[in-house]
């Protein structure tokens, strides 16, 4: 290209090629040679002076971006009355971006000087750089209320849905937000707490019918007692936090670390990079970097933030919302590794050989800057030969080396033989109104497996380092299955014509042989489900009992401190073990490790139950419009009161009650896990293919009832039990149980009188 590119063309190139930003790269891209390079240098200097670029170690980059969640200060209004705000933590050296507030009807009034926490969206072609939506005003933390609105003559009142909260709230007419009588609403406290009368509230969101889809997750949150409202002191503490600087940290900002997450992820707590190892002793090996948000810098032991994070134990995820372990100021801002924003991290550099075996590692406390926030889907699409504009410039330096390292890790995984269950993840897709649009099974991409393997290796490195340094920590423990559960699995396998060897020390490789033998057969689903049921539940413990499922001797959670308290404890242990600062593991942390382990194991189970209940309700709501339709599925469980069926289309579990199996008595064999009809001999067991009719779907409870039509392709015959006791084709009238008891009592009296 002989003509000098315009400034806009240069800026566009740098934006699209974040890893090719030296003057040499730019000159090569535009075909600039010889003396023309002097002109290019002049243009780049002008862009730098104008604040469009900053120079760092002979490379040019866009100035730092604002994170998606930022602290702003309302600075004034436009001539049209639109509110403008300025960022309070602008890192860039260029022109400070202009932010416009986009208010919602339920937002409180804001004035010049107000400090707010807001969610930002970058805009192009406008006279401002970002649109902002209010999360909350800094320094305020109004209490949240979930309840049913009861309309009155002037305004109304809110009856809380939580049974443990008997206090009602009054709502003024101008604070009702148009809510109708009987609607489920989300409200917040309005005004100071009064000593007399009912407290006042302002409705911020109408959720409609209490049984409507949008209310499902909120109801589950309250039913299971998951804390979803941060105390005032916690919010105040979070709001006072400032971004960590470079002091005492290794500068990793020039390293092209990238985050790879679901496309709808709001927080990013891990970033990765890999490259070929240039150590001649490790020919064919790779260097892997995993950088994790340094949450321990902000959430210190004994603080209000720490107490609340421990209380919650973990974040809880629902199809339409997240209940975070940490406030938005941390989870969505300071502790999230946003693209183009400097962020504190604890990183581990790992060396693996050509066969994927780790040969060395070291931890550092650093400051990084994510080169890109990518999704699993776009990374996989790029490796499949269709890179988009974002992934294209990253292919050679970032994406391909990541996959090369993953290929080596796969070799090590095949040698280690972790449990290889095939259980597709179900994903409920909702509309903006909360209605279920579809229920899909999430694709299992190589990009997912890549990140999983990197995280597993980083977790192993954390456990090994802390063991070597004799530091207390929380292990992630998964013990091997108990003998009685293995016997049940062995019986299921034998019924399917498969074998699970007996009389040897159980290893995951033995279970994998069974799973692989069932793969592609009609028994695959039931073998996978039965193997999962045979497993014990993983938990946290300060003592190391190994991780059976991953086939690892020592394992600790290190990679998700934004959403798991266990990882935060491990981060503090690493800080103390390396002498990085005074924000490490405290004496109090060490003394209560056992109680912390028990508590967060319980909060994890609580969240899993609430998430499962929510999904069940959404599925019931989705199927409620299809009552009477026929579905195919497979028997997933058998109990005395009926058989459970997992439907092929949605993965929903429904119950065929015994009364719907046929007009006969069914014998329940607990050991064999079967129901058998007394007249027909019809036997129902795990894994059988069935056709069922949907008879009931109750969104409020999540219950799904089914009628059995056919089993293993054969129509169900009705038993003869209902004909017993018949005379001349007419049924015998049976007396009610109470009447029968009365007759027996009379007969006993007559008998005694005759004596």
């Amino acid at each position: 290209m002989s003509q000098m590119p315009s400034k806009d063309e240069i800026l566009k190139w740098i934006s699209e090629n974040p890893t090719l930003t030296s003057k040499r790269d730019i000159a090569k891209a535009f075909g600039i040679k010889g003396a023309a390079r002097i002109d290019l240098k002049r243009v780049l200097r002008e862009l730098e002076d104008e604040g469009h670029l900053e120079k760092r170690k002979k490379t040019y980059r866009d100035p730092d971006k604002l994170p998606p969640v930022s602290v702003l200060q309302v600075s004034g209004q436009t001539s049209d009355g639109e509110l403008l705000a300025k960022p309070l933590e602008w890192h860039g050296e260029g022109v400070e971006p202009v932010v416009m507030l986009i208010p919602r009807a339920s937002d409180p009034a804001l004035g010049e000087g107000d400090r707010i926490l807001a969610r930002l969206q970058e805009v192009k072609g406008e006279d401002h750089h970002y649109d902002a939506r209010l999360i909350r005003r800094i320094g305020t933390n109004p209490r949240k209320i979930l309840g049913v609105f009861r309309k009155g003559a002037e305004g109304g009142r809110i009856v809380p849905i939580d049974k443990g909260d008997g206090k009602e709230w009054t709502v003024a007419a101008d604070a009702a937000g148009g809510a109708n009588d009987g609607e489920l609403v989300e409200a917040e406290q309005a005004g100071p707490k009064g000593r007399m009368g009912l407290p006042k509230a302002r409705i911020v969101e109408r959720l409609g019918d209490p049984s409507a889809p949008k209310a499902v997750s909120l109801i589950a949150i309250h039913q299971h007692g998951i804390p979803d409202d941060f105390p005032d002191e916690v919010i105040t503490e979070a709001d006072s936090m400032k971004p960590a600087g470079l002091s005492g940290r290794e500068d990793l900002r020039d390293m092209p670390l990238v985050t790879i997450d679901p496309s709808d992820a709001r927080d990013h707590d891990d970033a990765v990079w890999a490259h070929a190892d240039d150590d001649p002793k490790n020919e064919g090996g790779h260097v892997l970097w995993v950088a994790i948000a340094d949450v321990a810098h902000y959430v210190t032991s004994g603080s209000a933030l720490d107490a609340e994070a421990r209380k919650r134990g973990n974040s809880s995820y629902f199809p339409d919302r997240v209940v975070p372990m940490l406030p938005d100021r941390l989870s969505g801002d300071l502790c999230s590794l946003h693209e183009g924003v400097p962020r504190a991290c604890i990183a581990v550099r790992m060396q693996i050989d050509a066969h994927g075996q780790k040969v060395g590692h070291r931890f550092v406390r650093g400051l990084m800057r994510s080169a890109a926030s990518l999704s699993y889907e776009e990374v996989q699409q790029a490796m499949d030969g269709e890179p988009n504009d974002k992934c294209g410039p990253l292919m050679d330096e970032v994406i391909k080396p990541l996959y090369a390292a993953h290929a080596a890790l796969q070799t090590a995984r095949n040698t280690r033989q972790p449990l290889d269950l095939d259980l597709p993840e179900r994903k409920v897709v909702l509309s903006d109104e909360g209605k279920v649009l579809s229920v899909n099974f999430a694709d299992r991409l190589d990009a997912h497996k890549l990140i999983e393997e990197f995280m597993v290796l980083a977790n192993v490195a954390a456990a090994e380092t802390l063991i070597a340094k004799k530091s207390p920590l929380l292990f992630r423990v998964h013990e091997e299955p108990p003998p009685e559960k293995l016997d049940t699995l062995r019986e299921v396998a034998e019924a399917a014509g498969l074998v699970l060897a007996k009389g040897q020390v159980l290893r995951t490789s033995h279970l994998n042989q069974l799973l692989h033998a069932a793969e592609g057969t009609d028994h695959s689903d039931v073998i996978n489900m039965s193997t999962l049921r045979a497993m014990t539940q993983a938990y946290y413990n300060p003592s190391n009992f190994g991780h059976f499922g991953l086939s690892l001797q020592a394992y600790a959670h290190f990679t998700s401190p934004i959403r798991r308290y266990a990882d935060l404890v491990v981060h503090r242990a690493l800080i103390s073990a390396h002498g990085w600062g005074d924000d490490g593991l405290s004496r109090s942390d060490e003394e209560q490790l056992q109680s912390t382990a028990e508590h967060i194991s319980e909060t994890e189970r609580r969240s899993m139950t609430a998430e499962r209940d929510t999904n069940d309700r959404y599925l019931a709501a989705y199927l409620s419009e299809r009552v009477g339709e026929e579905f195919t599925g497979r028997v997933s469980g058998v109990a005395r009161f009926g058989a459970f069926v997992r439907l092929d289309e949605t993965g929903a579990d429904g119950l065929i009650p015994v009364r719907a199996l046929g007009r006969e008595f069914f014998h329940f064999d607990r050991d064999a896990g079967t129901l058998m009809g007394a007249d027909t001999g019809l036997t129902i067991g795990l894994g059988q293919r069935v056709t069922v009719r949907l008879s009931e779907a109750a969104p409020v409870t999540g219950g799904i009832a089914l009628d059995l039509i056919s089993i293993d392709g054969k129509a169900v015959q009705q038993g003869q039990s209902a004909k017993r006791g018949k005379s001349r084709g007419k049924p015998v009238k049976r007396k009610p149980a109470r009447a029968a008891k009365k007759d027996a009592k009379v007969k006993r009296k007559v008998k005694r009188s005759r004596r």
Side-chain angles (χ1 to χ4, degrees):
M1 184 175 181
S2 56
Q3 187 177 355
M4 181 64 59
S6 68
K7 291 181 179 179
D8 285 342
E9 288 173 328
I10 292 174
L11 289 174
K12 183 179 179 183
W13 161 259
I14 291 173
S15 176
E16 293 176 349
N17 300 270
T19 62
L20 302 172
T21 52
S22 68
K23 187 176 73 174
R24 180 181 177 184
D25 291 330
I26 297 168
K28 184 178 179 181
F30 291 100
I32 299 172
K33 300 178 181 178
R37 287 175 176 262
I38 298 174
D39 292 331
L40 175 62
K41 185 176 181 179
R42 174 184 54 78
V43 174
L44 290 174
R45 190 179 296 115
E46 288 176 3
L47 286 169
E48 193 177 354
D49 293 340
E50 293 167 5
H52 294 297
L53 292 178
E54 63 176 351
K55 189 175 182 180
R56 189 185 302 121
K57 292 185 179 180
K58 298 183 180 181
T59 67
Y60 292 87
R61 297 190 179 185
D62 289 328
D64 296 329
K65 295 182 179 181
L66 289 176
V69 174
S70 291
V71 175
L72 310 173
Q73 186 171 34
V74 179
S75 56
Q77 292 182 335
T78 67
S79 57
D80 297 326
E82 302 283 358
L83 283 179
L84 297 176
K86 64 177 183 179
L88 291 184
E89 293 161 7
W90 170 239
H91 302 288
E93 298 175 3
V95 178
E96 184 177 273
V98 178
V99 182
M100 179 178 287
L101 291 172
I102 310 298
R104 291 176 290 242
S106 60
D107 285 349
L110 296 173
E112 189 171 350
D114 282 341
R115 294 172 67 238
I116 63 170
L117 189 66
R119 193 170 300 282
L120 305 186
Q121 176 68 49
E122 196 170 2
V123 295
K124 304 289 185 183
E126 301 285 346
D127 54 2
H128 60 283
H129 303 94
Y130 293 89
D131 285 341
R133 296 275 187 180
L134 176 71
I135 295 176
R136 59 179 170 78
R137 186 190 283 118
I138 294 291
T140 63
N141 182 36
R143 180 180 171 184
K144 293 290 174 60
I145 307 111
L146 178 69
V148 176
F149 179 64
R150 295 301 179 191
K151 203 164 187 177
E154 296 182 3
R157 57 193 173 88
I158 296 174
V159 181
I161 198 168
D162 189 352
K163 293 179 181 178
D165 188 354
K167 181 170 59 179
E168 296 184 359
W169 297 71
T170 61
V171 180
D174 60 355
N180 296 319
D181 185 64
E183 276 191 322
L184 186 70
V185 296
E186 196 170 18
E188 65 182 20
Q189 180 181 316
K193 299 175 182 177
R195 294 185 178 180
M196 302 293 289
L198 294 176
K200 297 178 181 179
R202 178 174 62 89
I203 293 174
V204 295
E205 188 171 5
R206 296 167 57 191
L207 302 172
D209 183 348
S211 64
K214 201 168 185 180
V216 166
S217 58
L218 284 173
I219 292 172
I221 289 165
H222 281 254
Q223 282 182 337
H224 291 279
I226 296 174
D228 66 335
D229 204 14
F230 287 103
D232 291 346
E233 61 270 22
V234 173
I235 293 295
T236 301
E237 200 168 270
D239 288 347
S240 68
M241 298 293 176
K242 302 295 182 185
L246 186 58
S247 177
R249 297 179 180 275
E250 189 168 320
D251 193 347
L252 309 177
R253 287 176 292 178
D254 287 324
M255 193 176 291
L257 289 153
V258 298
T259 61
I260 305 177
D261 294 288
S263 57
D264 57 354
R266 286 188 171 181
D267 54 68
H268 312 275
D269 51 11
D270 57 81
V272 295
W273 182 48
H275 62 84
D277 195 352
D278 55 8
D279 186 346
K281 296 180 181 179
N282 190 27
E283 186 177 353
H286 305 265
V287 173
L288 283 59
W289 280 91
V290 173
I292 306 299
D294 188 356
V295 177
H297 173 81
Y298 302 99
V299 184
T300 55
S301 181
S303 64
L305 277 165
D306 179 45
E308 184 66 16
R310 185 181 184 273
K311 175 183 174 183
R312 295 180 178 224
N314 50 266
S315 297
S316 300
Y317 293 84
F318 302 92
D320 63 335
R321 71 189 67 235
V322 177
V323 180
M325 185 179 79
L326 302 173
D328 264 319
R329 173 65 170 141
L330 298 182
S331 63
D333 185 10
L334 296 178
C335 297
S336 192
L337 308 180
H338 296 302
E339 178 180 332
V341 183
R343 283 291 178 255
C345 67
I346 294 179
V348 56
R349 180 188 186 271
M350 299 173 286
Q351 286 178 284
I352 61 171
D353 62 21
H355 305 292
Q357 299 293 337
K358 183 166 64 66
V359 295
H361 72 267
R362 67 179 176 90
F363 283 88
V364 300
R365 203 172 195 184
L367 188 71
M368 62 158 286
R369 185 195 315 264
S370 171
S373 294
L374 307 174
S375 71
Y376 291 114
E377 292 76 14
E378 63 184 343
V379 170
Q380 188 62 54
Q381 189 176 3
M383 273 305 291
D384 291 342
E386 298 180 14
N388 60 15
D389 293 341
K390 199 169 188 178
C391 291
L394 300 172
M395 288 301 297
D396 291 336
E397 188 177 3
V398 178
I399 295 177
K400 287 182 179 178
L402 284 173
Y403 275 79
H406 176 240
L409 290 177
Q410 278 293 100
T411 303
R413 177 187 172 89
N414 293 337
T415 302
R416 194 176 85 244
Q417 286 272 317
L419 191 60
D420 191 18
L421 287 169
D422 181 19
L423 297 167
E425 182 183 351
R426 189 172 56 193
K427 185 174 183 179
V428 177
V429 180
L430 303 177
S431 68
D432 292 339
E433 295 75 30
K435 184 176 181 181
V436 182
L437 296 176
S438 63
V439 180
N440 303 320
F441 290 100
D443 292 331
R444 184 95 169 115
L445 305 174
D446 285 342
H448 290 101
K449 299 174 185 177
L450 181 155
I451 294 299
E452 284 180 8
E453 287 301 312
F454 273 53
M455 297 305 114
V456 166
L457 197 64
N459 288 336
V460 169
E464 290 178 351
T465 292
L466 293 174
I467 290 172
K469 291 181 177 292
K470 296 181 170 55
S471 170
L473 75 150
L474 287 179
F475 292 94
R476 182 63 168 177
V477 173
H478 185 225
E479 298 181 79
E480 65 181 53
E484 58 272 17
K485 286 193 173 184
L486 282 177
D487 289 340
T488 301
L489 175 59
R490 196 169 283 111
E491 290 172 1
V492 173
E494 289 174 358
L498 302 170
V499 176
L500 175 61
K502 194 174 183 179
Q504 56 183 324
V505 176
L506 182 72
R507 301 186 186 279
T508 49
S509 58
H510 302 140
L511 295 171
N512 285 340
Q513 289 173 8
L514 173 63
L515 292 166
H516 296 159
E519 190 175 353
T521 71
D522 288 342
H523 306 291
S524 178
D525 287 347
V526 69
I527 294 297
N528 272 275
M529 285 189 292
S530 299
T531 302
L532 178 64
R533 287 174 180 169
M535 295 299 107
T536 59
Q537 191 165 15
Y539 62 97
Y540 296 104
N541 200 294
S543 299
N544 181 24
F545 301 119
H547 198 294
F548 176 79
L550 291 174
S551 191
L552 292 169
Q553 292 182 348
Y555 194 64
H557 275 163
F558 155 74
T559 54
S560 294
I562 291 179
R563 61 185 180 89
R564 291 187 307 224
Y565 191 78
D567 303 55
L568 177 56
V569 172
V570 170
H571 275 233
R572 288 178 183 161
L574 288 168
I575 291 167
S576 296
H578 288 90
W580 286 332
D582 57 4
D583 49 356
L585 207 61
S586 69
R587 182 176 296 275
S588 174
D589 287 334
E590 294 181 21
E591 290 173 351
Q592 58 182 359
L593 270 184
Q594 183 62 50
S595 62
T596 296
E598 293 171 0
H599 171 70
I600 63 177
S601 295
E602 178 57 37
T603 61
E604 180 185 45
R605 287 189 288 270
R606 178 182 67 185
S607 293
M608 289 172 62
T609 303
E611 291 163 14
R612 185 180 64 243
D613 288 354
T614 299
N615 278 327
D616 287 346
R617 287 188 173 102
Y618 275 123
L619 285 169
Y622 179 62
L623 292 171
S624 62
E625 298 175 0
R626 302 176 65 181
V627 171
E629 291 187 27
E630 294 183 6
F631 297 86
T632 59
R634 198 178 285 276
V635 177
S636 59
V638 177
R640 186 179 301 280
F641 50 82
F644 292 96
V645 172
R646 179 157 296 173
L647 303 181
D648 295 330
E649 182 183 332
T650 60
D653 288 305
L655 173 68
I656 308 174
V658 167
R659 57 179 168 74
L661 290 175
R663 295 193 300 270
E664 60 180 318
F665 179 78
F666 276 83
H667 297 280
F668 173 56
D669 188 330
R670 185 182 299 276
D671 294 332
T674 60
L675 285 167
M676 186 170 69
D679 298 328
T680 62
L682 173 67
T683 303
I684 300 172
L686 285 175
Q688 288 179 300
R689 298 288 306 169
V690 294
T691 301
V692 294
R693 182 181 294 108
L694 179 63
S695 61
E696 183 183 355
V700 174
T701 62
I704 295 173
L706 307 167
D707 292 329
L708 182 63
I709 296 174
S710 68
I711 187 164
D712 289 334
K714 298 179 180 178
V716 175
Q717 297 179 5
Q718 300 299 322
Q720 301 299 314
S721 296
K723 297 180 182 179
R724 293 175 182 171
K726 292 183 180 181
S727 175
R728 298 180 182 177
K730 295 181 180 180
V732 175
K733 292 183 179 179
R734 300 184 181 273
K735 296 181 180 179
R738 190 175 297 173
K741 287 182 180 179
K742 186 176 181 181
D743 285 352
K745 192 174 182 181
V746 170
K747 287 179 180 177
R748 285 197 298 273
K749 284 185 177 180
V750 170
K751 197 170 184 179
R752 281 198 296 269
S753 64
R754 284 177 180 174
R755 288 179 181 173

